[in-house]
Amino acid sequence: MSKNLRGNFKWLAGIASMSLLGACGVPGDSAGELVGAAQELREASAGDVAVSLSSKAAIIGAQERASVTVTLTNTTRHPVKLLKWYTPAEELEEALFSVTLDGQPVAFEGPHYKRPAARESDFLTLAPGESLTRTVDLGLYDLSRTGSYGIRFEVEAGRLHGSSAKQGQLKSNDVSVWIEGRASAQQEPADMTASLTSSIAFSGRCSTTQMSTLMDAMNAASAMADNSNAYLTTTSPAGTPRYSTWFGAFSSSGWTTAKTHFAAIKDAFDTKPVTLDCSCKKSYYAYVYPNQPYKIYVCSAFWSAPLTGTDSKGGTLIHEMSHFTAVAGTDDHVYGQSGAKSLAISDPTAALNNADSHEYFAENTPFLQ
């Protein structure tokens, strides 16, 4: 899309609301509240939970599900709580496994989510000696080549209770399985509802109201990207409050990384063909498949978020745009402002790779110079 068209987002949104026929209320940033919410529980550390991994078959054909069975066991004398997102309790939503072929890492091709700060309902509790066993399909990993795959459950222990603190890896035993290559998992193509401009399209049966809202969000995101890029381009590189709050101790290389990321984010909003999909019903804000630019799936929390400000609609689109490998290739190390601020202090390198850190820098709420 030309910069002219991008500059007319608001005008187009008005046209959409008049002429067209017709991603997670969200809790506040409550990382501190989570710690004290269940005093009798202990947050799991790497030594509190044992993980075992097994496979029913040593050889898996191309037409068979490539799955493994994971068992998490509380080995302590007290209950422990675990953040469901980083366990196999429900469907696989994160790269919980280290998967290799001939010793080389295999890519996780699943979605990257923007989630609200974790609530107590997002945790599960294991009583002393209790186990959780689930069979997990590895279809979100690149299993396109035939060979002997090494598989291991491996999660940073801090993530199990929503912390950015490094507390060691929670690892299972290694399992080796011969897997016949199969097509990589791809998202089912959604129906195309409308294409409002040459570079903005909608899918997933977006309503007229939703399309208008999304155009407003695109306006907000574009303005945030412009502002962030201008700040990093015109401000003398230094440990400014805005930079250090979200990206940590100043370094010239860190500033350059942030500048490069936001130049790419701005360019994506200005010139790339963006598709916005309304089909997600999860309680999250949004998600993307990093290797499938530039399609953003918005979820339930997106619609109740403010247009601008903390955890906003515009900021959500910044967050998701940063995930694309063709843009900045960010990950989700932590969620929420408290977590992002702590990450900036403890691990500036990870902060420069954290999508929420980019979002909060762009939203700049509270305002920082």
Side-chain angles (χ1 to χ4, degrees), residues 109 185-187 288-297 324-325:
E109 299 179 329
Q186 294 291 327
Q187 179 74 6
V288 298
Y289 289 87
N291 293 326
Q292 298 179 21
Y294 296 89
K295 186 171 186 177
I296 300 173
Y297 300 80
F324 292 119
T325 53

Side-chain angles (χ1 to χ4, degrees), residues 22-191:
C24 313
V26 178
D29 185 7
S30 55
E33 297 171 7
L34 291 173
V35 177
Q39 294 289 338
E40 73 279 7
L41 301 182
R42 187 162 127 187
E43 294 170 336
S45 64
D48 290 343
V49 179
V51 188
S52 63
L53 190 65
S54 64
S55 174
K56 287 185 177 180
I59 300 175
I60 299 176
Q63 304 306 314
E64 300 175 280
R65 288 181 61 207
S67 61
V68 291
T69 299
V70 185
T71 299
L72 280 68
T73 302
N74 177 2
T75 60
T76 72
R77 296 182 179 180
H78 52 78
V80 295
K81 66 177 184 179
L82 307 171
L83 188 52
K84 293 176 185 176
W85 305 335
Y86 299 103
T87 75
E90 298 173 355
E91 64 179 304
L92 184 66
E93 292 185 342
E94 296 289 337
L96 304 183
F97 300 89
S98 167
V99 182
T100 60
L101 176 62
D102 298 328
Q104 297 302 309
V106 164
F108 176 74
E109 299 179 329
H112 278 17
Y113 295 96
K114 171 174 168 59
R115 297 183 175 99
R119 301 168 292 185
E120 283 301 314
S121 60
D122 294 315
F123 289 80
L124 63 86
T125 300
L126 290 181
E130 184 181 4
S131 294
L132 170 73
T133 299
R134 294 288 187 274
T135 297
V136 181
D137 192 334
L138 299 176
L140 291 178
Y141 288 83
D142 179 8
L143 305 178
S144 59
R145 293 172 291 165
T146 297
S148 181
Y149 285 80
I151 306 162
R152 180 175 65 245
F153 181 93
E154 184 172 310
V155 173
E156 174 66 45
R159 287 192 168 190
L160 287 169
H161 52 86
S163 169
S164 62
K166 292 188 175 180
Q167 300 177 4
Q169 296 282 330
L170 184 64
K171 298 181 180 181
S172 72
N173 55 296
D174 293 315
V175 168
S176 181
V177 183
W178 183 271
I179 300 176
E180 188 177 1
R182 73 278 313 285
S184 296
Q186 294 291 327
Q187 179 74 6
E188 291 278 337
D191 65 301

Side-chain angles (χ1 to χ4, degrees), residues 294-315:
Y294 296 89
K295 186 171 186 177
I296 300 173
Y297 300 80
V298 294
C299 304
S300 299
F302 177 87
W303 303 111
S304 58
L307 182 62
T308 59
T310 301
D311 290 316
S312 63
K313 292 182 177 74

